[in-house]
Coordinates of all heavy atoms in Angstrom, one line a residue:
R661 N 6.4 -73.9 -78.9 CA 6.0 -74.3 -80.2 C 5.1 -73.1 -81.0 O 5.2 -73.0 -82.0 CB 4.9 -75.5 -80.0 CG 4.5 -76.1 -81.3 CD 3.5 -77.3 -81.0 NE 3.2 -77.6 -79.7 CZ 3.6 -78.7 -79.0 NH1 4.5 -79.5 -79.5 NH2 3.2 -78.9 -77.7
R662 N 4.4 -72.4 -80.0 CA 3.6 -71.3 -80.6 C 4.5 -70.1 -81.0 O 4.3 -69.7 -82.1 CB 2.6 -70.7 -79.5 CG 1.5 -71.7 -79.2 CD 0.4 -70.9 -78.4 NE 0.9 -70.4 -77.1 CZ 1.1 -71.1 -75.9 NH1 0.6 -72.3 -76.0 NH2 1.4 -70.5 -74.9
R663 N 5.6 -69.9 -80.4 CA 6.5 -68.8 -80.8 C 7.2 -69.1 -82.1 O 7.2 -68.4 -82.9 CB 7.5 -68.6 -79.6 CG 8.6 -67.6 -80.0 CD 9.6 -67.4 -78.9 NE 9.1 -67.0 -77.7 CZ 8.5 -65.7 -77.3 NH1 8.8 -64.8 -78.3 NH2 8.0 -65.5 -76.2
L664 N 7.6 -70.5 -82.2 CA 8.3 -70.9 -83.4 C 7.4 -70.9 -84.6 O 7.7 -70.5 -85.6 CB 9.0 -72.3 -83.2 CG 10.3 -72.4 -82.3 CD1 10.7 -73.6 -81.9 CD2 11.4 -71.6 -83.2
A665 N 6.1 -71.3 -84.3 CA 5.2 -71.3 -85.5 C 4.9 -69.9 -85.9 O 4.9 -69.7 -87.1 CB 3.9 -71.9 -85.0
R666 N 4.9 -68.9 -84.9 CA 4.5 -67.6 -85.4 C 5.7 -67.0 -86.0 O 5.6 -66.2 -87.1 CB 4.3 -66.8 -84.0 CG 4.0 -65.3 -84.4 CD 3.7 -64.4 -83.0 NE 4.8 -64.4 -82.1 CZ 4.9 -65.0 -80.9 NH1 3.9 -65.7 -80.5 NH2 6.0 -64.9 -80.2
L667 N 7.0 -67.3 -85.6 CA 8.2 -66.8 -86.2 C 8.4 -67.3 -87.7 O 8.8 -66.7 -88.6 CB 9.3 -67.0 -85.4 CG 9.6 -66.2 -84.1 CD1 10.6 -66.7 -83.2 CD2 9.8 -64.8 -84.4
E668 N 8.1 -68.6 -87.7 CA 8.3 -69.3 -89.1 C 7.3 -68.8 -90.1 O 7.6 -68.5 -91.2 CB 8.3 -70.8 -88.9 CG 9.6 -71.4 -88.2 CD 9.5 -72.6 -87.8 OE1 8.4 -73.4 -87.8 OE2 10.6 -73.2 -87.2
A669 N 6.1 -68.6 -89.6 CA 5.0 -68.0 -90.5 C 5.4 -66.6 -91.0 O 5.3 -66.2 -92.1 CB 3.6 -67.9 -89.8
R670 N 6.0 -65.9 -90.0 CA 6.4 -64.5 -90.4 C 7.5 -64.6 -91.3 O 7.6 -63.8 -92.3 CB 6.8 -63.7 -89.1 CG 7.2 -62.2 -89.4 CD 7.4 -61.4 -88.0 NE 6.3 -61.5 -87.2 CZ 6.3 -61.3 -86.0 NH1 7.4 -61.5 -85.4 NH2 5.3 -61.5 -85.2
S671 N 8.5 -65.5 -91.1 CA 9.6 -65.6 -92.0 C 9.2 -66.0 -93.4 O 9.6 -65.5 -94.4 CB 10.6 -66.8 -91.5 OG 11.7 -66.9 -92.4
A672 N 8.1 -66.9 -93.5 CA 7.6 -67.3 -94.8 C 7.0 -66.1 -95.5 O 7.0 -65.8 -96.8 CB 6.7 -68.4 -94.7
Q673 N 6.2 -65.2 -94.7 CA 5.6 -64.0 -95.3 C 6.7 -63.0 -95.8 O 6.3 -62.4 -96.8 CB 4.8 -63.3 -94.2 CG 3.3 -63.9 -93.9 CD 2.6 -63.1 -92.8 OE1 3.2 -62.4 -92.0 NE2 1.4 -63.3 -92.8
D674 N 7.6 -62.9 -95.0 CA 8.8 -62.0 -95.4 C 9.6 -62.6 -96.7 O 10.7 -61.8 -97.0 CB 9.7 -61.6 -94.3 CG 9.0 -60.9 -93.1 OD1 7.9 -60.4 -93.3 OD2 9.5 -60.9 -92.0
G675 N 9.2 -63.7 -97.1 CA 10.1 -64.4 -98.1 C 11.5 -64.7 -97.6 O 12.3 -64.9 -98.4
G676 N 11.5 -65.0 -96.3 CA 12.8 -65.5 -95.8 C 13.9 -64.4 -95.6 O 15.1 -64.7 -95.4
S677 N 13.4 -63.2 -95.6 CA 14.4 -62.1 -95.4 C 14.9 -62.1 -94.0 O 14.3 -62.5 -93.1 CB 13.6 -60.7 -95.8 OG 12.7 -60.4 -94.7
R678 N 16.0 -61.3 -93.8 CA 16.6 -61.4 -92.4 C 15.6 -60.7 -91.4 O 15.8 -60.9 -90.2 CB 17.9 -60.6 -92.5 CG 18.9 -61.3 -93.4 CD 20.0 -62.2 -92.8 NE 20.5 -62.0 -91.4 CZ 20.7 -63.1 -90.6 NH1 20.4 -64.3 -91.1 NH2 21.1 -63.0 -89.5
S679 N 15.0 -59.6 -91.9 CA 14.1 -58.9 -91.0 C 12.9 -58.4 -91.6 O 13.0 -58.3 -92.9 CB 14.8 -57.8 -90.3 OG 15.2 -56.8 -91.3
S680 N 11.9 -58.1 -91.0 CA 10.7 -57.6 -91.6 C 10.7 -56.2 -92.0 O 11.4 -55.4 -91.4 CB 9.5 -57.7 -90.4 OG 8.4 -57.1 -90.9
S681 N 10.2 -56.0 -93.1 CA 10.2 -54.6 -93.8 C 9.0 -53.8 -93.4 O 8.8 -52.7 -93.8 CB 10.5 -54.6 -95.2 OG 9.4 -55.3 -95.8

Side-chain angles (χ1 to χ4, degrees):
R661 187 179 10 250
R662 286 191 306 271
R663 180 180 304 281
L664 282 167
R666 181 178 65 246
L667 288 167
E668 289 167 355
R670 187 174 299 149
S671 179
Q673 282 180 338
D674 295 342
S677 66
R678 300 256 340 136
S679 63
S680 173
S681 60

